Amino acid sequence: MATISADSLQDLRKTDQLLGGVFTMLSDPDLRVIRPYKMEHEMGGVTVGDMGYVIIDREGRIRKHAVDPLFGRSADAILQSLKGLQ
């Protein structure tokens, strides 16, 4: 599992230290990965990445896509939805 963020690499390093290296974190400040999955929105005239998740299977098919600003608090529900995809 990897986290993709529009944050700079420097900011992600700080976040990684705070979280203790729990996730692989990828920096995408130009939204090259985020944009094709429609995980972005405008805020104050600037395009920013959405909080949420995209689950992609081994064949590259999108199995689930959700904008969820509270996805960290929704971890149990996300795991249950993954079990339903199997």
Side-chain angles (χ1 to χ4, degrees):
M1 177 172 30
T3 299
I4 301 173
S5 173
D7 293 342
S8 70
L9 186 56
Q10 182 178 352
D11 287 341
L12 283 184
R13 284 188 180 129
K14 291 176 189 175
T15 302
D16 188 50
Q17 288 176 345
L18 288 171
L19 296 176
V22 176
F23 300 103
T24 300
M25 298 183 142
L26 306 171
S27 177
D28 184 22
D30 297 328
L31 306 175
R32 291 181 193 170
V33 175
I34 293 169
R35 184 168 284 127
Y37 293 106
K38 298 178 176 47
M39 294 295 290
E40 63 182 302
H41 68 276
E42 294 289 322
M43 182 166 50
V46 177
T47 303
V48 297
D50 285 325
M51 298 275 293
Y53 57 96
V54 178
I55 298 170
I56 304 165
D57 69 15
R58 290 182 179 150
E59 285 77 37
R61 296 177 298 186
I62 296 174
R63 300 298 304 266
K64 186 152 178 92
H65 173 273
V67 173
D68 181 356
L70 303 175
F71 79 99
R73 295 181 197 159
S74 305
D76 289 336
I78 294 167
L79 289 174
Q80 289 301 319
S81 70
L82 281 173
K83 290 178 183 177
L85 294 176
Q86 297 176 352

